Amino acid sequence: MVKFLMASSALAAAGLLGMRSAIAAVWNKTGFESKTTAEALKTLGVSGATVSREIQITAPEIAENGAQVPVTVTSKIPNTQSISIVVDKNPFPLSCTFEFSNGAESYISTRLKMGQTSNVIALIKADGKFFTAAKEIKVTIGGCGG
Amino acid sequence: MAEPMKIRAKMEGDAADVKVLMSHPMETGQRKNEKSELVPVHFIQSVIATHNGKTVLDIQWSQSIARNPFLGFRVKGAKAGDKVTISWTDTTGDKSSIDTTVAA
């Protein structure tokens, strides 16, 4: 964190960053390059997330095409700060992180690639605590090598 | 080169429902071309959504987001006529952005 602050202030001082990129979160390289869910979760600072029924994952039970799997995550947990999605069996399980601010509802909809049948894990950060839910999606044709 | 995006924002109750379709190959680095050569990794890493200039979503993506990425989100308290902007940056430093006004 200290390192990041130093780096970003140095860049800002050098005038290399526009307003928009200055406020963007630093891409979680270590997390996105982690090869297991456990390693990826560590980079997000998670230890022992609570399983919650206040998280809804909407996705098909069976995805015929792993290259385009629609997934929607809604969190009803108060003060939800972010939603991350992890595809447990993908070569790099951590898929995405969405941070909310200024009135964004704790809801996101996107499409994922899935290499094979896997649990899809939603990880919610709310008031500094982590909550999780999972849903298995069966994949007929994998979508990583496309 | 960045190709055009599509965006639509529409009021639903007390929130603006925003849907975005980006144009990007989202290469995983694992796919082979017709000559059996690996296609280099190339994907959108960062997406920022703003509502009237204020950031509402700060997004980090990996290569596991599907080709031509779809993004849906909602902004509470938005009103018809408000401005919504989406900007992305990919692994090569390429950028694209689009804005729209929220429809009633």
Side-chain angles (χ1 to χ4, degrees):
Chain A
M1 192 59 193
V2 172
K3 210 174 179 182
F4 154 59
L5 286 172
M6 281 165 61
S8 63
S9 54
L11 283 171
L16 293 174
L17 289 177
M19 182 64 188
R20 198 165 278 145
S21 27
I23 54 171
V26 172
W27 197 69
N28 179 10
K29 188 173 187 327
T30 322
F32 287 119
E33 289 178 357
S34 295
K35 291 186 175 161
T36 66
T37 298
E39 275 175 44
L41 293 187
K42 240 186 257 173
T43 69
L44 296 170
V46 185
S47 55
T50 310
V51 175
S52 172
R53 289 189 183 168
E54 303 292 297
I55 304 166
Q56 193 187 349
I57 303 175
T58 310
E61 302 258 318
I62 300 173
E64 286 186 11
N65 179 4
Q68 292 273 354
V69 185
V71 175
T72 296
V73 179
T74 309
S75 164
K76 291 188 179 141
I77 301 169
N79 303 322
T80 293
Q81 296 161 273
S82 71
I83 295 178
S84 294
I85 302 176
V86 177
V87 182
D88 191 39
K89 296 269 180 68
N90 267 4
F92 304 105
L94 179 60
S95 172
C96 45
T97 297
F98 300 79
E99 287 177 28
F100 305 103
S101 52
N102 295 316
E105 289 187 7
S106 47
Y107 150 89
I108 58 99
S109 178
T110 189
R111 293 182 197 136
L112 306 179
K113 293 191 193 102
M114 291 181 63
Q116 56 179 299
T117 296
S118 171
N119 261 338
V120 171
I121 301 160
L123 190 79
I124 275 70
K125 189 178 183 183
D127 275 338
K129 294 187 185 120
F130 288 97
F131 300 88
T132 186
K135 180 186 171 82
E136 190 190 54
I137 303 177
K138 291 190 169 64
V139 174
T140 319
I141 303 164
C144 278
Chain B
M1 272 301 288
E3 287 178 38
M5 271 187 267
K6 284 179 189 160
I7 184 168
R8 198 180 67 192
K10 193 171 180 283
M11 287 307 294
E12 270 184 20
D14 63 348
D17 184 71
V18 186
K19 291 183 168 70
V20 189
L21 200 54
M22 304 170 207
S23 180
H24 201 281
M26 299 299 282
E27 291 292 351
T28 61
Q30 301 186 34
R31 189 177 72 88
K32 285 178 180 164
N33 64 14
E34 52 289 348
K35 291 179 194 159
S36 296
E37 299 157 340
L38 278 177
V39 179
V41 69
H42 179 208
F43 59 90
I44 295 175
Q45 278 183 302
S46 159
V47 185
I48 302 273
T50 68
H51 166 236
N52 288 346
K54 283 187 181 167
T55 300
V56 286
L57 262 182
D58 188 339
I59 305 170
Q60 298 178 53
W61 277 349
S62 78
Q63 60 272 57
S64 69
I65 298 298
R67 180 190 182 88
N68 295 332
F70 171 78
L71 170 67
F73 64 97
R74 292 167 62 85
V75 185
K76 217 179 167 95
K79 293 182 198 71
D82 286 358
K83 190 174 168 188
V84 175
T85 306
I86 303 289
S87 317
W88 60 248
T89 307
D90 75 11
T91 46
T92 65
D94 203 0
K95 293 173 196 290
S96 182
S97 74
I98 193 169
D99 57 53
T100 190
T101 47
V102 178

